[in-house]
Amino acid sequence: IERTKHLALKQKAQWTRKGTLPAFQVNLQTDLVHRYTAFVVENVRILPSPKWVQERLQSLGVNSINNVVDVTNLVMLELGQPLHAFDYDKIRNHGFSIREAKGGEKVTTLDGQTFSLPQGALVIEDEKRLIDLAGIKGGDVSAIDETTKHVIYQAAVFDPRRIYTTKKALNYRTPASDIYAHGVDWEGTERALERALVLLAELKGKGTLVQKIDIYPRPWQRRAIPFEPAKAHNLLGIQIRESEMIGILKSLGCQVERAKGKYRVIPPSWRHDLEIQEDCTEEVGRIFGFHNIPAQLPAETIAVPERNDALFWQDIIQDTLKEAGFTELYTYSFIGERDRELLNYTSEEKEKLVELENPLSEDAKYLRPTLLDNLLKHAAFSSRLEPAQELCLFETGTVFAQGEKGPEETRMLAALMASHSTSGEELFYSLKGVLDTVFSRIGIPNFWYDDFGQTPDIGGRPSLWREKRSAEVKGGNKEIGFLGEIASRPLVSLKLERNVVAFELNLNELTELATEEREYAPISRYPAAMRDIAVLVPAHTRVAEVMNIIVAAGGKLLMDVDLFDLYEGDKIPKGMKSMAFRLVYQAQDRTLTSEEVDLVHTKITEALLGNPEWEVR
């Protein structure tokens, strides 16, 4: 039987023997089928497979169906070429087409599942009816059963990338789809079908081969790889005889030709992974035995790398938080569809999410916009395991958001404290103290806290923070993060029955502001004088406003100001709060007299009374 010539032009090729069946027609409507080979077998017998076949398939995780179907699985497991069997009589008009699916088309497979197909999935269609999900699973409408008389055995070479993307989009995998996704031998289809006929006869399926179909638009091209033994020696770090290396390559099915003192290696059609000299050298090392290659230290001098400032300061920050009793976490960079509802995303926050084109699962559909989402989920999980324990957690990592020119990445630092017994206000000041320590360790003196804005400049999620209990963290005039209590809605959704405070900072901004420079001043040899002052102010007044006035009025003799008491309650007028400060006066060149201290203290009092709503007590 001769092959029909000019396959690339005709896109069809058929061989026939005597038989009663009309010729079967196959039409390729896509270039994603690199080769399509099929045998039409007339008058087969459908029987249960013998015990040895059933046991062999079962040991390899495949169910036995009948002798005709079991042949396809035996060949796939033996030769690595997936086969499929169609019932000839169930295919309308004695032919079908192979094409790419339109988005939303439906097909029902042999296991009874109905799939809505993604755009571009490979399908087989007869008379406007999908009968097969090509390369993944056969369709139920053309299944082999006890009434089958004539069979079409198919051995095809489908595009690996398209099979892979289809099975991932459907979240559905089969042994055939896994093999196709890695690539099969373009030259092995006819050999696999011939082996299937041998097995069919052995399993008493009888049948007569009446037609061969082979469509091979662009036959596999031999590719030659330059191979230099000296380069292989350098890569492996050991001298292997040239004849031994050539023998190893030939034993793997490669053809080796010598030309002008060099070698050309032509891999067999089933070795798609051999593309460059390094691939061939690896095969030589593998067969020679990596255990036969002695371990040896590199001969080159290893230079000390330049300091990475981002990692340097990140290490210091991480060490500081660990010393403060925090536990470091490493969470996934993804969130899922369920997380958007569980963590109460607003519509604007949903729009800024970066969605993955090929997610691993529904729980990893989006890239995280903030580190706090996964920290809160972990805190909720830990709270159920250790209900009484106070939680102190932190993480450094990358967050993602939609920018003007596409997705943007930002390195962030986030930490949280969660407690049953401690109030939110106390936790807030505890975490603020930890943050102050971090800033002190990395040399940022000019940081401060401002009112929380609803349109933050550094991304994140404004809806996570509790109103009037959160603040923006600023370095100079630049916003670098947030600090405050977490809003109640996400805590309720997560069943996290604790007070939770957190901060999230931009690590890139911290790195730019951090410095190793320090200023030192000699400690005064003269004693300090301390005075206390209490100020009654409206409830909306910030501590920083009062402290700024005290520092400005105190001048050089005022060495330190600390807030030691903040009171709101029944003993003061409604809508007011009392702030108590401890003032430290000291000079570098003398002991201050009471009159000097009184003079500066009076000046501070008058400056505070300059605001008509304030009262010094």
Side-chain angles (χ1 to χ4, degrees):
I1 304 171
E2 293 185 356
R3 294 178 179 242
T4 301
K5 298 178 180 180
H6 309 302
L7 299 181
L9 296 176
K10 296 181 67 175
Q11 290 287 296
K12 295 182 181 180
Q14 301 190 27
W15 295 261
T16 59
R17 291 180 181 174
K18 266 191 174 182
T20 62
L21 298 178
F24 196 85
Q25 303 293 324
V26 176
N27 182 25
L28 294 189
Q29 298 179 3
T30 173
D31 59 1
L32 296 177
V33 183
H34 305 307
R35 186 175 187 180
Y36 189 87
T37 309
F39 285 2
V40 180
V41 184
E42 187 179 40
N43 296 323
V44 299
R45 294 179 60 193
I46 307 297
L47 299 170
S49 293
K51 187 176 180 181
W52 71 267
V53 172
Q54 296 181 26
E55 290 177 348
R56 178 176 296 182
L57 291 175
Q58 187 176 8
S59 68
L60 295 170
V62 180
N63 293 326
S64 174
I65 308 298
N66 54 54
N67 58 344
V68 171
V69 176
D70 289 352
V71 161
T72 65
N73 288 321
L74 286 170
V75 173
M76 178 184 69
L77 295 169
E78 182 180 323
L79 300 180
Q81 169 63 59
L83 302 184
H84 183 63
F86 296 94
D87 188 323
Y88 176 95
D89 296 311
K90 292 180 181 178
I91 299 174
R92 298 172 181 173
N93 292 334
H94 312 299
F96 53 55
S97 299
I98 305 176
R99 63 173 175 84
E100 297 177 51
K102 302 170 185 175
E105 287 189 282
K106 289 183 168 49
V107 63
T108 301
T109 53
L110 288 168
D111 53 6
Q113 296 193 59
T114 299
F115 294 100
S116 180
L117 301 178
Q119 178 77 25
L122 292 176
V123 292
I124 299 178
E125 176 186 51
D126 73 349
E127 202 180 53
K128 299 182 180 179
R129 180 184 64 158
L130 298 188
I131 63 171
D132 188 87
L133 182 53
I136 298 179
K137 194 74 172 180
D140 65 342
V141 296
S142 59
I144 304 296
D145 56 31
E146 64 275 2
T147 65
T148 298
K149 294 182 179 179
H150 315 303
V151 172
I152 302 168
Y153 276 125
Q154 164 192 285
V157 180
F158 299 115
D159 184 76
R161 292 184 181 181
R162 186 56 53 89
I163 298 300
Y164 177 81
T165 55
T166 300
K167 74 170 185 172
K168 295 298 288 185
L170 296 175
N171 193 25
Y172 181 69
R173 59 182 293 187
T174 61
S177 69
D178 289 341
I179 293 174
Y180 272 126
H182 286 89
V184 297
D185 180 8
W186 291 27
E187 298 288 294
T189 56
E190 194 167 352
R191 181 175 69 251
L193 289 172
E194 290 169 352
R195 174 61 177 157
L197 293 185
V198 171
L199 286 172
L200 183 64
E202 188 176 342
L203 301 184
K204 300 179 181 180
K206 293 188 176 181
T208 302
L209 175 62
V210 297
Q211 183 183 0
K212 289 185 179 181
I213 302 169
D214 192 18
I215 306 176
Y216 204 177
R218 293 178 302 279
W220 175 75
Q221 298 293 321
R222 288 158 48 100
R223 61 190 188 281
I225 303 170
F227 184 81
E228 300 178 36
K231 187 175 180 181
H233 292 155
N234 290 334
L235 288 170
L236 292 172
I238 189 174
Q239 293 287 331
I240 302 175
R241 290 195 313 274
E242 191 172 303
S243 59
E244 186 174 357
M245 289 194 291
I246 301 307
I248 289 173
L249 292 172
K250 287 182 177 179
S251 71
L252 295 173
C254 298
Q255 297 179 33
V256 183
E257 302 172 353
R258 186 177 180 85
K260 297 180 181 180
K262 297 182 180 179
Y263 291 95
R264 296 169 69 245
V265 177
I266 302 173
S269 58
W270 61 86
R271 290 303 301 267
H272 305 283
D273 56 321
L274 299 183
E275 296 180 342
I276 57 177
Q277 157 129 11
E278 285 75 5
D279 297 331
C280 298
T281 303
E282 183 181 5
E283 291 300 291
V284 170
R286 181 173 67 87
I287 301 302
F288 178 78
F290 290 128
H291 60 281
N292 292 322
I293 300 175
Q296 195 171 3
L297 289 173
E300 296 295 329
T301 302
I302 301 176
V304 178
E306 293 184 10
R307 190 179 86 173
N308 185 319
D309 281 340
L311 294 179
F312 174 78
W313 292 114
Q314 180 176 314
D315 287 343
I316 292 177
I317 292 170
Q318 290 171 332
D319 290 342
T320 303
L321 289 171
K322 291 172 187 175
E323 291 165 5
F326 282 72
T327 300
E328 184 175 9
L329 299 184
Y330 294 90
T331 65
Y332 290 117
S333 298
F334 312 105
I335 61 170
E337 193 71 46
R338 180 172 173 268
D339 294 329
R340 299 200 312 172
E341 308 306 322
L342 188 67
L343 296 165
N344 301 109
Y345 274 68
T346 64
S347 57
E348 288 121 6
E349 291 169 350
K350 290 178 181 178
E351 289 177 4
K352 292 181 180 180
L353 286 173
V354 178
E355 184 174 357
L356 298 176
E357 290 184 0
N358 190 22
L360 297 172
S361 68
E362 284 297 314
D363 293 331
K365 191 174 181 180
Y366 305 97
L367 291 171
R368 62 187 177 189
T370 172
L371 299 177
L372 289 175
D373 285 349
N374 287 333
L375 280 180
L376 287 170
K377 289 195 295 182
H378 186 88
F381 177 77
S382 298
S383 294
R384 291 190 287 273
L385 297 179
E386 298 287 345
Q389 184 176 356
E390 182 174 280
L391 298 175
C392 298
L393 311 173
F394 82 94
E395 181 178 11
T396 56
T398 305
V399 301
F400 308 83
Q402 292 288 2
E404 294 180 0
K405 298 181 181 180
E408 297 177 349
E409 301 182 20
T410 309
R411 293 172 56 249
M412 301 293 286
L413 161 71
L416 67 78
M417 296 178 68
S419 175
H420 279 299
S421 56
T422 308
S423 68
E425 186 174 354
E426 290 177 295
L427 280 177
F428 177 89
Y429 286 111
S430 295
L431 190 59
K432 180 179 176 292
V434 172
L435 192 53
D436 292 347
T437 303
V438 169
F439 284 132
S440 175
R441 286 285 296 273
I442 62 177
I444 303 179
N446 57 336
F447 67 91
W448 55 290
Y449 303 92
D450 197 5
D451 289 333
F452 182 74
Q454 291 302 310
T455 55
D457 297 330
I458 67 165
R461 289 186 52 213
S463 65
L464 268 180
W465 305 95
R466 184 175 175 184
E467 291 185 16
K468 300 181 180 180
R469 294 294 184 91
S470 304
E472 293 181 358
V473 184
K474 294 192 174 182
N477 294 321
K478 188 176 291 186
E479 180 183 298
I480 57 177
F482 315 106
L483 166 70
E485 291 188 42
I486 298 298
S488 59
R489 289 185 63 189
L491 300 183
V492 172
S493 299
L494 291 168
K495 298 180 181 178
L496 182 53
E497 299 175 354
R498 296 184 180 218
N499 296 314
V500 181
V501 298
F503 67 71
E504 187 168 30
L505 306 177
N506 186 320
L507 269 179
N508 295 331
E509 300 290 354
L510 287 179
T511 301
E512 289 184 11
L513 294 171
T515 177
E516 293 182 84
E517 294 183 2
R518 297 290 187 271
E519 291 185 6
Y520 296 94
I523 298 173
S524 177
R525 295 180 297 170
Y526 302 97
M530 289 181 288
R531 301 284 178 89
D532 294 342
I533 189 169
V535 188
L536 192 65
V537 297
H540 60 78
T541 305
R542 292 178 296 176
V543 173
E545 294 179 44
V546 181
M547 291 184 71
N548 288 340
I549 293 175
I550 293 174
V551 171
K556 295 182 180 180
L557 296 182
L558 182 63
M559 298 301 295
D560 191 25
V561 182
D562 287 315
L563 176 74
F564 70 86
D565 185 57
L566 184 65
Y567 177 77
E568 293 180 81
D570 298 336
K571 297 181 180 180
I572 58 175
K574 188 176 181 181
M576 304 291 283
K577 63 183 177 183
S578 175
M579 302 179 187
F581 298 91
R582 178 149 295 158
L583 281 57
V584 178
Y585 300 98
Q586 192 175 33
Q588 294 290 333
D589 56 352
R590 66 188 188 282
T591 301
L592 294 176
T593 64
S594 296
E595 290 77 11
E596 288 179 297
V597 174
D598 290 340
L599 184 62
V600 178
H601 199 73
T602 301
K603 186 178 179 182
I604 292 173
T605 301
E606 292 173 350
L608 292 172
L609 292 174
N611 190 318
E613 294 184 310
W614 296 3
E615 177 185 343
V616 177
R617 309 176 75 190

